[in-house]
Amino acid sequence: MAKVVPSLPFDNFSGKLSSKQRLVMRTRNGRVHSYEICNPYMGPLAESRKRTISTFSQAVTLCKQEMSDTEKLAYWNERYAQYRKDAQRNPTRANAKFIGTVSNLSQKPNDKVYSTLRGFIIASLSAQLKATKQ
């Protein structure tokens, strides 16, 4: 992935310059990155993929609501601070404890560490939504 150092008039790049272009710009953790979309899938979506997309979109909507409420945001900040502390020692255990991801023997363990509060909230809400749908 290429690093881009923009000049002053262009502090924030986001998305494509045209719909046919494969070069995409995004800002993550204060840095602008560019990447190329290679071999995009153009076929129909499977039902499981549609469910995953709808669950994620619901989690993002709920996350916006949670982050706009100051009491709930304080709760999530406290929970995220505890998560970060536990994730430094063992990310798999921290994810199981705070997000609710359970690693089966057939699956690889979830050792992802969520680096932003928003990502942590979305992952937690997605896990809750998945649990209620099953």
Side-chain angles (χ1 to χ4, degrees):
M1 187 180 315
K3 287 186 179 180
V4 176
V5 180
S7 60
L8 288 176
F10 307 104
D11 285 340
N12 243 341
F13 287 107
S14 175
K16 301 180 192 179
L17 294 176
S18 71
S19 62
K20 295 179 182 177
Q21 189 178 24
R22 294 180 132 187
L23 186 67
V24 181
M25 308 294 279
R26 68 178 178 193
T27 305
R28 293 289 183 261
N29 297 326
R31 287 189 163 170
V32 179
H33 299 276
S34 65
Y35 62 96
E36 183 180 2
I37 299 174
C38 298
N39 304 320
Y41 179 72
M42 303 300 241
L45 295 176
E47 286 300 317
S48 60
R49 187 71 192 131
K50 288 178 185 176
R51 282 193 304 274
T52 302
I53 290 170
S54 71
T55 302
F56 180 76
S57 65
Q58 288 175 352
V60 169
T61 304
L62 289 172
C63 178
K64 271 188 184 176
Q65 293 171 0
E66 297 279 315
M67 290 183 82
S68 65
D69 186 4
T70 55
E71 291 176 9
K72 290 181 181 178
L73 184 61
Y75 164 77
W76 283 111
N77 276 322
E78 180 182 322
R79 193 164 162 84
Y80 182 63
Q82 293 171 350
Y83 165 77
R84 292 289 294 181
K85 187 177 177 183
D86 286 0
Q88 286 178 345
R89 284 186 238 127
N90 190 335
T92 305
R93 256 191 224 148
N95 287 337
K97 180 179 175 184
F98 289 97
I99 297 172
T101 55
V102 179
S103 57
N104 297 337
L105 294 176
S106 62
Q107 297 176 338
K108 66 178 186 174
N110 185 5
D111 57 354
K112 175 179 175 42
V113 176
Y114 294 95
S115 60
T116 63
L117 174 64
R118 183 176 181 271
F120 173 73
I121 295 172
I122 290 172
S124 300
L125 294 173
S126 291
Q128 290 174 5
L129 290 170
K130 286 178 190 174
T132 57
K133 288 183 179 182
Q134 290 179 353

